Every structure is written in C-alpha cells, then in structure tokens.
Amino acid sequence: MSRPDAHECVSRSGADARAAGPGRPRRILFLVSSMHGGGAERVAATLANAWARRGDEVTLVCCYSGRGRCDQVLDPAVRLLWLADRVRGPAWLRPVAKLAALRRLARECRPDRVLSFLTNVNVTALLALRGLGLPIVVGERTDPAHSVNLEPVLRRLRRWTYPWARRVAVQTRRGAVHLLRVAPGVRRLAVIPNPLPDGLPACRVREPAGPRYTLAALGRFNPVKQFDRLIECFAALAPQCPDWDLCIWGDGAQRDACLRRVRELGLESRIRLPGFSRTPWEDLAAAHAFVLNSRVEGFPNALLEAMALGLPCVATDCPSGPSELTLGGRLAELVPLDDEAALGAALLRVMRAAPAEREARGRAAAGSVRSRYGLDAVLRAWDDAWTEADGTIGAADGDDAPRPAP
C-alpha cells in the first residue's frame, strides 16, 4: 500500500475510525504549537516516533500561526503538517480561520485518538473539535498554578473547556492538585511524567578526565530558567574552583544579555554560552556536573536526562518536577527556591567532591530514573489516558512512575 502524501491525511469512514481495538494500529492526531528546540517538542517527537514505530498512523500538526521549522528528528513514518498552510483570510479573521481549518483536518483524518500539548493549543483543539465525538486528551506542559505569559482570556477558556476533554494529563502529582484549582470542573486526570527518550546513551561508567571540569546547564534563555542568576552565582564561586567552567547550552531572548554580562565579568574563558545544541546527550555526557536553577518547570527534561546519563546534579526545588525526580533530594542536591547561598553551597559541594564520589552519586541517580521513567511504561500510561474511567490515573501517591488505570 502506498504511503499517504506527507502533507495530507487519509479520509476514512466513521466505522473504520472506530475499528481500532487493543493491539491494532491506531490513527493518532497529535497537535503541538511547534517543533522547535524546547522540552515539550522533544517529548512530542519521542512519543510520535514511538507510536509510529509500533505501527500507529501518527499525524503531527504544528499549530503555530507563523508556521516555523522542525528542529526535532522524526521517524519517516510520522506525517508532519503545519496548520498555517491551511489557514486563509485576513489577519483579523485568522483565529476563527484556524479553528475551521483544524476542524476540517480532523474530519479528513478521522483519528481514533487526539492528543494536544500546551494550554493555547489545548483550548484551540477543544473549541475546534467540539461536537465531533473525538476522544481528546490534552496535556499541560508546565505547572498549571505557575503558568507564565498566560493571558486572562486563555485562563478563562482553559477553565471552561478542559472539562470537555476525555482526560487532562499533567506531569507531576503536584501539578494535578494545581490543575484542579485552575479548572475545577475537570473529572478525569492523568499523571504522566516525561519519558526518557528512546536512544538515550547508557549511563557513563566514569566522568571525563580533567584537568578542567565542566558544570553544565541546558535550556531556553528566558526569565524562568534564571540563567542570569546562575551566571552571577558561578562568578562568585569561580575563584574557589579555578579548574571548573560553566557551560550553558540553549538559545533565547536573554542569551545576548547574558553574553554581555559574561564579558563585563571578564569570564569569557570560564563561562561559555555556545547556543542551541543539536547533540545535547553528547554535550551533557562530556560534562562533570549539571545544574537546574529554574523558577518554574513542568517536568524538567534536561534534569531527567542528565541524571539518566550519570551526572551528579544540583536543582532548585521549584514547582514542579525536581523534588519528584530526585526523590526529595536523595538523588541530587535539592536547594530551596530563591536561596542563592544554598545554591552556591550545593554547587561547591559537588565541585569539590572527589571524582569517585561524583560518579557514585551519578550512578545511583541514573539507576533510579531509568527504572521509573522508561519509555515503555510511559507509553502504556498514555494509552490508559484514553480510557473512560473517572478520577485520576497515573502515578500513585508514593510513586512517580506510571501505573495502569483502575
């Protein structure tokens, strides 16, 4: 059978759309904002690729009005579409035209399942597909109580539309509590953490040899990541650890300002900001420790992957994710939010530790997260999210790992 064109979906009968049962290929319509270099996009690529490899028909739709580009590696079987290619009309009519275009696309694809990521895309999907009888699961990708840059109208629309979803998925138990505060009408929740990506290298046996050592960070340069504060913290510690350097991979609006600050500090040889990494696992594996200094996270992929690769880690106890990932600080240095002294002290402990001690910490953390966040377990949790069972499914009260629906 010939493969459908990469820019079109195959129209099927309603009876065929309902035919997919357990163990049979499913048609999945996966809606995202973009496929740029962020954490949500990496998770979307991981899930889409895994479903395509098991035989499901996956259509991945970028809903960003400006179209954009794809920075993620996708399986050839994943069909990638840009909704902007289907939206016509004057700019003032684009919001309505986008809803109509998405509704037409869903009717063409006749998916068995619809998954949407990010609040603005979730609301768009629930409005556009209302009344089509499609099972829609929407995923919040940050802590709902600490959503940044969320306009009041979008907050109200989230509260109004989320109860229409088959299920609302959050990434942590804390996030589930917060979701019910902002959308109290939701009756079906799933707690599904991010999976370790397929193809992640094995935990390293030993850290790279000196004589210089690298403290790594990775993410978008935006206020939430607080890379500017991390630079100031490291600058204060640099004289005490002359053989350590800081390297922050990523791009974003604040990167230029951070580069200027590094130059002002005269630390160009000690603090590197090389930009977006297309080989993040290799870059992390070449480092000696990892730090996450975020103010808010949904579920920090960079921390998860650094731990899985065997790096000793330092993280702020921000909402949400670091506490659950590190088992309350047993697997990494977990410091209070906005406590610069505690962050500096934790970084000093890691940088001054013997290599063997750092390696032992890294191996313990890697063993834990690899057992709790494996891709197969997370895929089963997503499959369970489309069940009609009421209540919350996913992580149990004392366990972050996914479990089957009741």
Side-chain angles (χ1 to χ4, degrees), residues 253-318:
Q254 285 195 328
R255 181 167 173 262
D256 287 344
C258 287
L259 283 167
R260 286 194 299 272
R261 181 55 181 158
V262 171
R263 288 193 293 269
E264 290 170 1
L265 292 166
L267 291 174
E268 297 98 318
S269 64
R270 301 285 306 278
I271 301 177
R272 304 190 305 276
L273 312 180
F276 176 74
S277 172
R278 294 192 176 277
T279 56
W281 300 335
E282 290 85 348
D283 292 332
L284 287 174
H288 299 81
F290 178 84
V291 57
L292 177 107
N293 188 42
S294 297
R295 188 169 71 241
V296 177
E297 288 282 350
F299 193 87
N301 294 324
L303 177 61
L304 171 63
E305 292 168 16
M307 292 174 69
L309 290 170
L311 274 74
C313 295
V314 177
T316 53
D317 189 11
C318 67

Coordinates of all heavy atoms in Angstrom, one line a residue, residues 253-318:
A253 N 15.7 34.7 24.1 CA 15.8 36.2 24.1 C 16.8 36.7 25.1 O 17.3 37.8 24.8 CB 14.4 36.7 24.5
Q254 N 17.1 36.0 26.2 CA 18.1 36.6 27.2 C 19.5 36.2 26.9 O 20.4 36.6 27.6 CB 17.7 36.1 28.6 CG 16.5 36.8 29.1 CD 16.3 36.6 30.6 OE1 16.7 35.5 31.1 NE2 15.8 37.5 31.4
R255 N 19.8 35.4 25.9 CA 21.2 35.0 25.7 C 22.1 36.1 25.4 O 23.2 36.1 25.9 CB 21.2 34.0 24.5 CG 22.6 33.4 24.3 CD 22.6 32.2 23.4 NE 23.9 31.8 23.0 CZ 24.6 32.1 21.9 NH1 23.9 32.8 21.0 NH2 25.8 31.7 21.7
D256 N 21.7 37.1 24.6 CA 22.6 38.2 24.3 C 23.0 39.0 25.5 O 24.1 39.4 25.8 CB 22.0 39.1 23.2 CG 22.0 38.5 21.8 OD1 22.7 37.5 21.6 OD2 21.2 39.0 21.0
A257 N 22.0 39.2 26.4 CA 22.2 39.9 27.6 C 23.2 39.2 28.5 O 24.1 39.7 29.2 CB 20.9 40.2 28.4
C258 N 23.0 37.8 28.6 CA 23.9 37.0 29.4 C 25.3 37.0 28.8 O 26.3 37.0 29.6 CB 23.4 35.6 29.4 SG 21.9 35.4 30.5
L259 N 25.4 37.0 27.5 CA 26.8 37.1 26.9 C 27.5 38.4 27.3 O 28.7 38.4 27.6 CB 26.7 37.0 25.4 CG 26.5 35.6 24.8 CD1 26.0 35.7 23.3 CD2 27.7 34.7 25.0
R260 N 26.7 39.5 27.2 CA 27.3 40.8 27.6 C 27.7 40.8 29.1 O 28.8 41.3 29.4 CB 26.2 41.9 27.4 CG 26.0 42.3 25.9 CD 25.3 43.6 25.8 NE 23.9 43.5 26.4 CZ 22.9 43.1 25.8 NH1 22.9 42.8 24.5 NH2 21.7 43.1 26.4
R261 N 26.9 40.2 29.9 CA 27.3 40.1 31.4 C 28.5 39.3 31.6 O 29.4 39.6 32.4 CB 26.1 39.5 32.2 CG 26.4 39.5 33.7 CD 26.7 40.8 34.2 NE 27.0 40.7 35.7 CZ 27.7 41.6 36.3 NH1 28.3 42.6 35.7 NH2 27.9 41.5 37.6
V262 N 28.7 38.2 30.8 CA 29.9 37.4 30.9 C 31.1 38.2 30.6 O 32.2 38.2 31.2 CB 29.8 36.1 30.1 CG1 31.2 35.4 30.0 CG2 28.7 35.2 30.6
R263 N 31.0 39.0 29.5 CA 32.1 39.9 29.1 C 32.4 40.9 30.2 O 33.6 41.2 30.5 CB 31.8 40.6 27.8 CG 31.8 39.6 26.6 CD 31.8 40.3 25.3 NE 30.6 41.0 25.0 CZ 29.5 40.5 24.4 NH1 29.6 39.2 23.9 NH2 28.4 41.2 24.2
E264 N 31.4 41.5 30.8 CA 31.6 42.5 31.8 C 32.3 41.9 33.0 O 33.1 42.6 33.7 CB 30.2 43.0 32.3 CG 29.5 43.9 31.3 CD 28.1 44.2 31.7 OE1 27.7 43.8 32.8 OE2 27.4 44.9 30.9
L265 N 32.0 40.6 33.3 CA 32.7 40.0 34.4 C 34.1 39.5 34.1 O 34.8 39.1 35.0 CB 31.8 38.7 34.8 CG 30.5 39.0 35.5 CD1 29.6 37.7 35.5 CD2 30.6 39.5 36.9
G266 N 34.4 39.6 32.8 CA 35.8 39.2 32.4 C 36.0 37.7 32.5 O 37.1 37.2 32.7
L267 N 34.9 36.9 32.3 CA 34.9 35.4 32.5 C 34.7 34.7 31.2 O 34.2 33.5 31.2 CB 33.9 35.0 33.6 CG 34.3 35.4 35.0 CD1 33.1 35.1 35.9 CD2 35.5 34.8 35.5
E268 N 35.0 35.3 30.1 CA 34.8 34.6 28.8 C 35.5 33.2 28.7 O 35.0 32.3 28.0 CB 35.2 35.5 27.6 CG 34.5 36.8 27.5 CD 35.3 37.9 28.1 OE1 35.8 37.7 29.2 OE2 35.3 39.0 27.5
S269 N 36.6 33.1 29.4 CA 37.3 31.8 29.3 C 36.7 30.8 30.3 O 37.1 29.6 30.2 CB 38.8 32.0 29.6 OG 39.0 32.5 31.0
R270 N 35.9 31.2 31.2 CA 35.3 30.3 32.2 C 33.8 30.0 32.1 O 33.3 29.0 32.6 CB 35.5 31.0 33.6 CG 37.0 31.2 34.0 CD 37.7 30.0 34.4 NE 37.1 29.2 35.4 CZ 37.2 29.5 36.7 NH1 37.9 30.5 37.2 NH2 36.6 28.7 37.6
I271 N 33.1 30.9 31.4 CA 31.7 30.8 31.2 C 31.4 30.8 29.7 O 31.6 31.8 29.0 CB 30.9 31.9 31.9 CG1 31.2 31.9 33.4 CG2 29.4 31.7 31.6 CD1 30.4 33.0 34.2
R272 N 30.9 29.7 29.2 CA 30.6 29.5 27.7 C 29.1 29.4 27.5 O 28.4 28.7 28.2 CB 31.3 28.3 27.2 CG 32.8 28.3 27.4 CD 33.5 27.2 26.6 NE 32.9 25.8 26.9 CZ 33.2 25.0 27.9 NH1 34.1 25.5 28.8 NH2 32.7 23.9 28.0
L273 N 28.6 30.1 26.5 CA 27.2 30.1 26.1 C 27.2 29.7 24.6 O 27.0 30.6 23.8 CB 26.5 31.4 26.4 CG 26.7 32.0 27.8 CD1 25.9 33.3 27.9 CD2 26.3 31.1 28.9
P274 N 27.4 28.5 24.2 CA 27.6 28.1 22.8 C 26.3 28.1 22.0 O 26.4 27.9 20.8 CB 28.2 26.7 22.9 CG 27.7 26.2 24.2 CD 27.6 27.3 25.1
G275 N 25.1 28.3 22.6 CA 23.9 28.3 21.8 C 23.2 27.0 21.8 O 23.5 26.1 22.6
F276 N 22.2 26.8 20.9 CA 21.4 25.6 20.8 C 22.3 24.4 20.5 O 23.1 24.5 19.6 CB 20.3 25.8 19.8 CG 19.5 24.6 19.5 CD1 18.5 24.2 20.5 CD2 19.7 23.8 18.4 CE1 17.8 23.0 20.3 CE2 18.9 22.6 18.2 CZ 17.9 22.3 19.1
S277 N 22.1 23.3 21.2 CA 22.8 22.1 21.0 C 22.0 21.1 20.2 O 20.9 20.8 20.6 CB 23.2 21.5 22.3 OG 23.8 20.2 22.1
R278 N 22.6 20.6 19.1 CA 21.9 19.6 18.3 C 22.4 18.2 18.8 O 21.9 17.2 18.3 CB 22.2 19.7 16.8 CG 21.6 21.0 16.3 CD 21.6 21.0 14.8 NE 20.9 22.2 14.2 CZ 19.6 22.2 14.0 NH1 18.8 21.2 14.3 NH2 19.0 23.3 13.6
T279 N 23.3 18.2 19.7 CA 23.8 16.9 20.3 C 23.8 17.0 21.9 O 24.9 16.9 22.5 CB 25.2 16.6 19.8 OG1 26.1 17.7 20.1 CG2 25.2 16.3 18.3
P280 N 22.6 17.2 22.5 CA 22.6 17.5 23.9 C 23.1 16.4 24.7 O 23.8 16.6 25.8 CB 21.1 17.8 24.2 CG 20.4 17.1 23.1 CD 21.3 17.2 21.9
W281 N 22.9 15.1 24.3 CA 23.3 14.0 25.2 C 24.8 13.9 25.2 O 25.5 13.7 26.2 CB 22.7 12.7 24.7 CG 21.2 12.7 24.7 CD1 20.4 13.4 25.5 CD2 20.4 11.9 23.9 NE1 19.1 13.2 25.3 CE2 19.0 12.2 24.3 CE3 20.6 11.0 22.9 CZ2 17.9 11.7 23.7 CZ3 19.5 10.4 22.3 CH2 18.2 10.7 22.7
E282 N 25.4 14.1 24.0 CA 26.9 14.1 24.0 C 27.5 15.2 24.8 O 28.5 15.1 25.5 CB 27.4 14.1 22.5 CG 27.1 12.9 21.7 CD 25.7 12.9 21.1 OE1 24.8 13.7 21.5 OE2 25.4 12.0 20.2
D283 N 26.9 16.4 24.7 CA 27.4 17.5 25.4 C 27.2 17.3 26.9 O 28.1 17.7 27.7 CB 26.6 18.8 25.0 CG 26.9 19.2 23.6 OD1 28.1 18.9 23.1 OD2 26.1 19.8 22.9
L284 N 26.1 16.8 27.4 CA 25.9 16.5 28.8 C 26.9 15.4 29.3 O 27.5 15.6 30.3 CB 24.5 16.1 29.1 CG 23.4 17.1 29.0 CD1 22.0 16.5 29.2 CD2 23.6 18.2 30.1
A285 N 27.1 14.4 28.5 CA 28.0 13.3 28.9 C 29.4 13.8 29.0 O 30.2 13.2 29.7 CB 27.9 12.1 27.9
A286 N 29.8 14.8 28.3 CA 31.1 15.4 28.4 C 31.4 16.3 29.6 O 32.5 16.7 29.8 CB 31.5 16.1 27.1
A287 N 30.3 16.6 30.3 CA 30.4 17.5 31.5 C 30.6 16.6 32.7 O 30.6 15.4 32.7 CB 29.1 18.3 31.6
H288 N 30.8 17.3 33.8 CA 31.1 16.7 35.1 C 30.0 16.8 36.1 O 30.0 16.1 37.1 CB 32.5 17.2 35.6 CG 33.6 17.0 34.7 ND1 33.9 17.8 33.6 CD2 34.6 16.0 34.7 CE1 34.9 17.3 33.0 NE2 35.4 16.2 33.6
A289 N 29.1 17.8 35.9 CA 28.0 18.0 36.8 C 27.0 18.8 36.1 O 27.3 19.5 35.1 CB 28.4 18.7 38.1
F290 N 25.7 18.8 36.6 CA 24.7 19.5 36.0 C 23.9 20.3 37.0 O 23.7 19.9 38.2 CB 23.7 18.5 35.3 CG 22.5 19.2 34.6 CD1 22.6 19.7 33.4 CD2 21.3 19.3 35.3 CE1 21.5 20.3 32.8 CE2 20.2 19.9 34.7 CZ 20.3 20.4 33.4
V291 N 23.4 21.5 36.6 CA 22.6 22.4 37.5 C 21.4 22.9 36.8 O 21.4 23.2 35.6 CB 23.5 23.6 38.0 CG1 24.0 24.4 36.8 CG2 22.6 24.4 38.9
L292 N 20.3 22.8 37.5 CA 19.0 23.4 37.1 C 18.6 24.4 38.1 O 18.4 24.1 39.3 CB 17.9 22.3 37.0 CG 16.5 22.8 36.6 CD1 16.2 22.4 35.2 CD2 15.5 22.3 37.6
N293 N 18.5 25.7 37.6 CA 18.2 26.8 38.5 C 16.8 27.5 38.2 O 16.7 28.7 38.4 CB 19.3 27.8 38.5 CG 19.2 28.9 39.5 OD1 18.8 28.6 40.7 ND2 19.4 30.2 39.1
S294 N 15.9 26.7 37.7 CA 14.6 27.3 37.2 C 13.7 27.8 38.4 O 13.8 27.3 39.5 CB 13.9 26.2 36.4 OG 14.6 25.8 35.3
R295 N 12.9 28.7 38.0 CA 11.9 29.2 38.9 C 10.6 28.3 38.8 O 9.9 28.1 39.8 CB 11.5 30.7 38.6 CG 10.6 31.3 39.7 CD 10.6 32.8 39.5 NE 9.8 33.2 38.3 CZ 10.3 33.9 37.3 NH1 11.6 34.3 37.3 NH2 9.6 34.2 36.2
V296 N 10.3 27.8 37.6 CA 9.1 27.0 37.4 C 9.5 26.0 36.3 O 10.2 26.3 35.4 CB 7.9 27.8 36.9 CG1 6.7 26.9 36.6 CG2 7.5 28.9 38.0
E297 N 9.0 24.8 36.5 CA 9.2 23.7 35.5 C 7.8 23.0 35.4 O 7.0 23.0 36.3 CB 10.3 22.7 35.8 CG 11.7 23.3 35.6 CD 12.1 23.4 34.2 OE1 11.4 22.8 33.3 OE2 13.2 24.0 33.9
G298 N 7.6 22.3 34.2 CA 6.5 21.4 34.2 C 7.1 20.0 34.6 O 6.6 19.4 35.5
F299 N 8.1 19.6 33.9 CA 8.8 18.4 34.2 C 10.1 18.5 33.5 O 10.2 18.5 32.3 CB 8.1 17.1 33.7 CG 8.6 15.8 34.3 CD1 8.2 15.4 35.6 CD2 9.6 15.1 33.7 CE1 8.7 14.2 36.1 CE2 10.1 14.0 34.2 CZ 9.6 13.5 35.4
P300 N 11.2 18.8 34.2 CA 12.5 19.2 33.6 C 13.2 18.1 32.8 O 13.9 17.2 33.4 CB 13.3 19.7 34.8 CG 12.8 19.0 36.0 CD 11.3 18.8 35.7
N301 N 13.0 18.1 31.5 CA 13.7 17.0 30.7 C 15.2 17.1 30.8 O 15.8 16.0 30.9 CB 13.3 17.3 29.2 CG 11.9 17.1 28.9 OD1 11.2 16.2 29.5 ND2 11.3 17.9 28.0
A302 N 15.8 18.2 30.9 CA 17.2 18.3 30.9 C 17.8 17.7 32.2 O 18.8 16.9 32.2 CB 17.7 19.8 30.9
L303 N 17.1 17.9 33.3 CA 17.5 17.3 34.6 C 17.3 15.8 34.5 O 18.2 15.0 35.0 CB 16.7 17.9 35.8 CG 16.9 17.3 37.1 CD1 18.4 17.5 37.6 CD2 15.9 17.9 38.2
L304 N 16.2 15.3 34.0 CA 15.9 13.9 33.9 C 17.0 13.2 33.1 O 17.6 12.2 33.5 CB 14.6 13.7 33.2 CG 14.2 12.3 32.8 CD1 14.1 11.3 34.0 CD2 12.9 12.2 32.0
E305 N 17.4 13.8 31.9 CA 18.4 13.2 31.1 C 19.8 13.3 31.6 O 20.6 12.3 31.5 CB 18.3 13.8 29.7 CG 17.0 13.5 29.0 CD 16.7 14.3 27.7 OE1 17.6 14.9 27.2 OE2 15.5 14.3 27.3
A306 N 20.1 14.4 32.3 CA 21.4 14.5 32.9 C 21.5 13.4 34.0 O 22.6 12.8 34.1 CB 21.6 15.9 33.5
M307 N 20.5 13.2 34.8 CA 20.5 12.2 35.8 C 20.7 10.8 35.2 O 21.5 10.0 35.7 CB 19.3 12.2 36.7 CG 19.2 13.5 37.6 SD 17.6 13.6 38.5 CE 17.8 12.2 39.7
A308 N 19.9 10.5 34.1 CA 20.0 9.2 33.5 C 21.4 9.0 32.9 O 21.8 7.8 32.8 CB 18.9 9.2 32.4
L309 N 22.1 10.0 32.5 CA 23.4 9.8 31.9 C 24.5 9.7 33.0 O 25.6 9.4 32.6 CB 23.7 11.0 31.0 CG 22.9 11.1 29.7 CD1 23.2 12.4 29.0 CD2 23.3 10.0 28.8
G310 N 24.1 9.9 34.2 CA 25.1 9.6 35.3 C 25.8 10.9 35.8 O 26.8 10.8 36.5
L311 N 25.2 12.1 35.6 CA 25.8 13.3 36.1 C 25.3 13.6 37.5 O 24.1 13.4 37.7 CB 25.5 14.5 35.2 CG 26.4 14.8 34.0 CD1 26.2 13.7 32.9 CD2 26.2 16.2 33.5
P312 N 26.2 14.0 38.4 CA 25.7 14.5 39.7 C 25.0 15.8 39.5 O 25.5 16.6 38.7 CB 27.0 14.6 40.5 CG 28.1 14.8 39.5 CD 27.7 14.0 38.3
C313 N 23.9 16.0 40.1 CA 23.1 17.2 39.8 C 22.8 18.0 41.0 O 22.7 17.5 42.1 CB 21.8 16.7 39.1 SG 22.0 15.9 37.5
V314 N 22.5 19.3 40.7 CA 22.0 20.3 41.7 C 20.8 20.9 41.0 O 20.8 21.3 39.9 CB 23.1 21.4 42.0 CG1 22.5 22.4 42.9 CG2 24.4 20.8 42.5
A315 N 19.7 21.0 41.8 CA 18.5 21.6 41.3 C 17.7 22.4 42.4 O 17.8 22.0 43.5 CB 17.6 20.4 40.8
T316 N 17.1 23.4 41.9 CA 16.2 24.2 42.8 C 14.9 23.4 43.0 O 14.4 22.7 42.1 CB 15.9 25.5 42.2 OG1 15.4 25.4 40.9 CG2 17.1 26.4 42.2
D317 N 14.3 23.5 44.2 CA 13.1 22.8 44.5 C 11.9 23.7 44.0 O 11.1 24.2 44.8 CB 13.0 22.6 46.0 CG 11.8 21.7 46.3 OD1 11.2 21.1 45.4 OD2 11.5 21.6 47.6
C318 N 11.8 23.8 42.7 CA 10.8 24.6 42.1 C 9.6 23.8 41.7 O 9.7 22.6 41.6 CB 11.3 25.3 40.8 SG 11.7 24.2 39.5

